[in-house]
Amino acid sequence: MNILGLDLGTYTGYAWNHDEHFECGTWLLATDKEVKTWGKDRSRRRCDPRVLRLHAKLVILQDQYQFDRVVFEDVQFSSSTYQTQLWSSFRAAVWLSFPEEI
């Protein structure tokens, strides 16, 4: 069984196995400078580029490895409304990338 595990965030942790191969690491979805710039022009309020970058990575992985299961942490807390909205967007990107594997 091929499984992808995710720890969603600007620094998204990942781990997956594919047959006998195992890989793990962290994807940096945006630099601090990018996040500050997006905040100034309100880009992150319309369509945060981190969500698009996450979705693009996930689509490529699914095309390559055909995961049987995708799992991620279900966060029940946040310190701000924006943080809640961003995390919800990350979660939606995963659901859209793997509609039948979650």
Side-chain angles (χ1 to χ4, degrees):
M1 179 177 271
N2 299 327
I3 301 170
L4 171 64
L6 299 168
D7 182 13
L8 301 172
T10 299
Y11 294 87
T12 292
Y14 65 88
W16 78 74
N17 73 309
H18 182 275
D19 300 324
E20 298 298 317
H21 178 74
F22 177 79
E23 186 168 331
C24 63
T26 304
W27 296 318
L28 174 60
L29 300 178
T31 64
D32 290 340
K33 183 177 179 180
E34 287 176 315
V35 173
K36 286 179 186 177
T37 301
W38 298 332
K40 288 179 184 174
D41 69 9
R42 300 178 62 88
S43 295
R44 67 182 190 186
R45 302 271 318 201
R46 292 188 301 273
C47 185
D48 194 306
R50 290 173 283 190
V51 176
L52 300 175
R53 290 174 181 177
L54 176 62
H55 177 66
K57 286 183 180 297
L58 296 175
V59 167
I60 290 168
L61 278 179
Q62 180 63 345
D63 287 346
Q64 288 179 332
Y65 296 107
Q66 299 296 311
F67 293 106
D68 299 306
R69 182 79 57 215
V70 179
V71 295
F72 57 91
E73 177 185 21
D74 189 16
V75 175
Q76 299 291 322
F77 60 89
S78 66
S79 60
S80 70
T81 300
Y82 174 70
Q83 192 177 43
T84 301
Q85 293 168 337
L86 177 61
W87 198 86
S88 296
S89 297
F90 284 148
R91 193 167 58 181
V94 174
W95 286 334
L96 291 170
S97 301
F98 304 100
E100 296 180 15
E101 288 80 12
I102 297 176

